[in-house]
Amino acid sequence: MAGLNLNSTTHFNQWIGINALNIKPSSAAAVALRPAFATRAGLLTSDLVLVGVVALRANVDLDGIAAVKDLAKLATADAYGVITSNCVAFAIQYSLVDLQIQMENATASMIFKTKDENFVAKCTLLGTTLAAVITANPVTALEYFTAAQLTAAAATIPTFTGKLGVFQAAQADVRSAKREFSGTWMPRMKAHIVFMTKMLPGAITTGFPGYVGAFELLLKLVNAGKRDQGLKPIVLDGATGNPFALVASFEPTNYPATVKPKLGKSDGSGDFRLMKMKVGLWRIKFSVPGFVTQYIMVQVTARNVVSITVRMVAV
């Protein structure tokens, strides 16, 4: 899973750069010249520590945890794959065509490719099917595979489920951090930057043009927003604070007609993809079954991703 996207990363780097400029000894007089500016610079520094923790969570490398999980999954798939392979030979020997087809579609590689969330159920079903074959053919089947092999294969499943649980917990934390970064910290940190930018004209610009020039250079976001423009909302249950997996949706009601109507749907984690939109003021409808439909006006500006948090109320 990728960490913070390009837009978030470039903004984060901007905040780091502006803070680094502010805390330089050579910038002390410029920052302290206007008390309100100095106070806001201090808030930027303290908030940067907090958002830095969120950014670290969002950018956690899950490859190592995923690899451990996949190794456990492979061990289970291989254990069952040995048995299903031998069961194919058994089915051929005794002309059990349906069983042969079923086992040929349950090779180790095919088992491994099963989605994580369906993997245990698939292995359990295979175990039940193979055990039934032994029960129906207690003598002839034992030359090909045994109940002990099935027991040994089943014994590998808990290791996989444990590793999967660790991976899923880490994955959920990454997603939660990304939502927190875009929904809470992006608007808060942007407000700090806008406030300080608006305080530059006048005494600070006149007295410390070098500082102001350096500050303004940092306002130019490298690579940010070249393609990203539109809306990326966060939709939460107002009572629990949890996102809605697969059931939440949003759509503009006053947008120009397009070949494919614009509709955003939440994924299995409750997240939404960016909806690319033209510059303008759009009326957005947010819907979740069992919750009051909400309509929110959203202003989309050039090369900017609008991130809003919508809290739904149950009917």
Side-chain angles (χ1 to χ4, degrees):
M1 173 191 291
L4 294 175
N5 61 24
L6 178 61
N7 185 56
S8 294
T9 299
T10 49
H11 275 90
F12 184 48
N13 290 337
Q14 180 199 63
W15 308 333
I16 292 173
I18 289 176
N19 184 66
L21 172 65
N22 287 342
I23 64 177
K24 286 176 62 175
S26 59
S27 300
V31 172
L33 183 63
R34 305 185 72 178
F37 186 93
T39 298
R40 184 64 66 141
L43 289 175
L44 175 68
T45 299
S46 58
D47 279 350
L48 188 59
V49 174
L50 300 177
V51 73
V53 174
V54 177
L56 284 174
R57 287 171 49 213
N59 287 326
V60 163
D61 186 353
L62 298 180
D63 288 349
I65 301 174
V68 171
K69 179 260 298 180
D70 286 343
L71 282 174
K73 184 178 183 181
L74 181 62
T76 299
D78 285 346
Y80 278 98
V82 169
I83 303 172
T84 58
S85 178
N86 284 297
C87 189
V88 170
F90 170 78
I92 292 172
Q93 178 66 21
Y94 294 98
S95 302
L96 302 171
V97 178
D98 290 344
L99 180 62
Q100 178 183 342
I101 294 172
Q102 185 178 1
M103 293 300 111
E104 286 177 340
N105 288 312
T107 63
S109 63
M110 290 178 175
I111 296 171
F112 180 76
K113 290 176 182 177
T114 304
K115 290 183 178 180
D116 286 348
E117 57 268 31
N118 301 327
F119 184 74
V120 173
K122 183 176 183 66
C123 291
T124 301
L125 180 60
L126 274 174
T128 300
T129 300
L130 291 162
V133 173
I134 292 176
T135 300
N137 306 274
V139 177
T140 55
L142 292 181
E143 184 179 348
Y144 296 86
F145 57 96
T146 66
Q149 286 178 288
L150 289 175
T151 299
T156 67
I157 293 177
T159 300
F160 165 73
T161 56
K163 304 301 182 185
L164 176 62
V166 171
F167 173 76
Q168 289 176 330
Q171 190 179 54
D173 188 60
V174 168
R175 286 173 172 153
S176 174
K178 289 168 72 174
R179 283 194 291 266
E180 182 180 348
F181 189 97
S182 62
T184 299
W185 290 106
M186 281 285 274
R188 179 169 179 144
M189 300 299 281
K190 281 184 176 181
H192 290 331
I193 303 304
V194 171
F195 180 92
M196 288 190 288
T197 301
K198 298 301 182 182
M199 289 286 287
L200 292 176
I204 299 177
T205 298
T206 301
F208 302 94
Y211 168 82
V212 172
F215 191 104
E216 290 178 340
L217 281 176
L218 290 167
L219 294 177
K220 298 177 181 179
L221 295 171
V222 179
N223 293 327
K226 286 185 177 179
R227 294 178 300 275
D228 291 346
Q229 175 183 303
L231 174 63
K232 192 175 188 299
I234 297 170
V235 180
L236 305 175
D237 184 325
T240 66
N242 295 325
F244 296 97
L246 302 175
V247 296
S249 64
F250 73 98
E251 58 183 316
T253 62
N254 63 332
Y255 200 76
T258 56
V259 175
K260 183 178 181 181
K262 286 188 173 294
L263 176 65
K265 295 183 178 180
S266 59
D267 62 18
S269 300
D271 296 322
F272 290 92
R273 291 180 179 273
L274 169 70
M275 177 182 284
K276 294 185 177 181
M277 303 178 72
K278 298 177 182 292
V279 171
L281 182 63
W282 311 117
R283 183 172 183 261
I284 311 298
K285 174 184 176 182
F286 293 90
S287 305
V288 177
F291 287 75
V292 177
T293 298
Q294 294 194 40
Y295 295 87
I296 297 177
M297 299 302 294
V298 173
Q299 179 75 53
V300 176
T301 55
R303 297 177 299 175
N304 186 47
V305 175
V306 179
S307 179
I308 61 173
T309 299
V310 181
R311 299 185 181 276
M312 305 297 287
V313 179
V315 175

